[in-house]
Amino acid sequence: MTAARGNRSNLATLSLIIAAAAGLLTAVVTITVASPLRSDDQQRRQLTTNNEDEPPIEEQSLIAMQFTANPYAGRDKIEMIKSGEAKLASLRLTPDSLSEGNGRVYGTFCVFDDQLNKKDPAVYPTVDHMVQTSDHCNENRYTLPLDEVVEAVTSHDSGSIRSERLKKLPLSGMLFHQGFSGAGLIANALTTFDNTV
């Protein structure tokens, strides 16, 4: 037991001498042989320096540092959708989404300027192009079951004084997209008119 202690102190002293000789000694570090496992916090405290010139060690996650804070974090997502602030950006389907009883369709909502397409349809030809301009859509999208959103919006629109003032648009036609058929070109041409949605 005494020999083991002697080896530990000799090893620690040798490590300090080597570090001092290399000019790298910025803190007092003790090295022990066969030390018990320490938690991450204990290891971090042991590796911190006593040098006041060193910047403080960041305790925030590197993953969290890559994203901006959500400016709408404390807000109710459904209320944002009902007010028109958060808009439908995309739909997400699973293989059983359209089956009876157990399938669900999900809507992805975020805050973006949906009038960009009307201003310049050549630059913003699709919703994807408009969504890419929004920091909120790039980092803080909300994915919600579409049936719950439709139910909440329908009850909001029909259950208030607002329903009397609700603007109803007459439907004179619908345009469905099919790949490589020119539907995008026609949709963007129609978008430039004031009486289209």
Side-chain angles (χ1 to χ4, degrees):
M1 181 117 145
T2 309
R5 274 193 197 148
N7 287 339
R8 283 187 202 160
S9 64
N10 290 341
L11 183 59
T13 305
L14 179 62
S15 297
L16 290 174
I17 292 170
I18 291 171
L24 300 174
L25 183 62
T26 58
V28 177
V29 179
T30 55
I31 300 173
T32 58
V33 177
S35 63
L37 294 175
R38 294 185 175 97
S39 69
D40 289 341
D41 289 338
Q42 289 173 332
Q43 288 176 355
R44 202 175 299 128
R45 270 189 238 116
Q46 185 175 358
L47 294 176
T48 55
T49 64
N50 292 331
N51 189 347
E52 293 179 9
D53 295 336
E54 293 289 324
I57 295 175
E58 292 291 330
E59 294 292 329
Q60 189 177 7
S61 161
L62 291 176
I63 293 172
M65 290 170 57
Q66 295 177 21
F67 298 98
T68 58
N70 184 357
Y72 307 100
R75 307 260 315 269
D76 183 8
K77 297 170 186 150
I78 296 289
E79 290 299 322
M80 288 177 65
I81 294 167
K82 289 194 285 189
S83 70
E85 193 172 4
K87 299 166 185 80
L88 181 65
S90 65
L91 294 174
R92 195 181 81 202
L93 302 168
T94 60
D96 64 341
S97 287
L98 302 177
S99 64
E100 286 187 36
N102 55 353
R104 290 192 106 166
V105 177
Y106 292 89
T108 303
F109 298 87
C110 59
V111 177
F112 66 95
D113 183 4
D114 61 347
Q115 295 300 308
L116 290 173
N117 184 267
K118 275 204 178 292
K119 294 173 190 168
D120 196 349
V123 176
Y124 306 104
T126 64
V127 172
D128 290 337
H129 291 92
M130 290 183 279
V131 164
Q132 288 174 2
T133 64
S134 167
D135 289 337
H136 185 257
C137 292
N138 291 331
E139 298 179 2
N140 301 297
R141 296 179 185 205
Y142 308 132
T143 301
L144 303 168
L146 196 59
D147 57 340
E148 292 177 14
V149 173
V150 168
E151 184 180 327
V153 170
T154 303
S155 66
H156 172 73
D157 287 344
S158 63
S160 65
I161 300 171
R162 183 183 154 110
S163 64
E164 296 169 8
R165 296 179 284 143
L166 191 63
K167 182 178 177 183
K168 296 179 182 170
L169 299 174
L171 182 64
S172 55
M174 294 181 75
L175 181 65
F176 294 97
H177 180 77
Q178 182 176 350
F180 305 106
S181 67
L185 177 64
I186 295 170
N188 286 327
L190 292 172
T191 299
T192 60
F193 295 108
D194 291 333
N195 60 350
T196 59
V197 176

